[in-house]
Amino acid sequence: MKHITVSGAIILRTNSNTHKKEIFATQRGYGDYKDGWELPGGKLEEGESPEECIVREIREELNTQVRAEKILGVIDYDYPTFHLTMHCILCTIVSGQLTLLEHEAARWLAKENLRSVDWLPADLLILDKIEELL
């Protein structure tokens, strides 16, 4: 089975109006899992660390510079046609406005609405840890 290794960004902020912590979720705009919700990110390139990958991917996908703070967890999941290893990395925004360049939609989600979107199966596995942050 094909093995894909990716990094996913858990971009955390405190909402200035509600003072609640929120994470940024994106909706896929292409591929087999189009319309599914996920942590933004992408595939590791050869010789790249998970942290280097997430900084590059968020710059490419969202035109935003983030700082990789720490790996919150590593998810392994078997999709029908490939095995996914996803490094879920807590990130903070350094600069930029999170402009959607590849995704069709995005939302900031607080604890009470974290599970209100149709998360992709692998991303569901990190939600309990994310809830502890919110």
Side-chain angles (χ1 to χ4, degrees):
M1 182 179 281
K2 184 177 178 181
H3 185 192
I4 298 172
T5 303
V6 302
S7 288
I10 302 167
I11 301 172
L12 187 66
R13 76 167 187 188
T14 300
N15 184 304
S16 58
N17 296 321
T18 65
H19 305 290
K20 292 182 180 181
K21 290 182 181 176
E22 300 172 320
I23 65 147
F24 192 70
T26 53
Q27 188 177 31
R28 287 183 68 87
Y30 59 90
D32 291 343
Y33 297 95
K34 182 182 179 326
D35 299 329
W37 287 80
E38 65 183 356
L39 298 174
K43 294 178 189 173
L44 267 75
E45 294 180 352
E46 191 173 330
E48 190 174 51
S49 72
E51 294 87 353
E52 291 167 336
C53 172
I54 204 59
V55 169
R56 176 185 53 76
E57 284 285 348
I58 299 305
R59 184 178 61 247
E60 291 173 1
E61 291 183 4
L62 298 168
N63 197 29
T64 299
Q65 182 70 33
V66 296
R67 179 176 43 253
E69 302 291 349
K70 70 176 183 175
I71 296 176
L72 192 64
V74 179
I75 300 299
D76 281 291
Y77 186 83
D78 287 324
Y79 282 96
T81 58
F82 63 95
H83 177 82
L84 179 76
T85 298
M86 178 170 57
H87 297 88
C88 302
I89 302 174
L90 184 62
C91 297
T92 53
I93 295 172
V94 175
S95 64
Q97 298 297 316
L98 293 170
T99 304
L100 298 182
L101 302 176
E102 294 184 16
H103 298 90
E104 60 185 52
R107 291 186 191 159
W108 285 101
L109 300 172
K111 189 173 190 170
E112 61 271 9
N113 64 351
L114 182 62
R115 297 174 190 267
S116 66
V117 299
D118 187 17
W119 288 99
L120 293 175
D123 293 73
L124 279 170
L125 300 177
I126 195 68
L127 294 186
D128 287 346
K129 283 193 176 182
I130 291 173
E131 280 181 330
E132 294 173 13
L133 296 172
L134 301 176

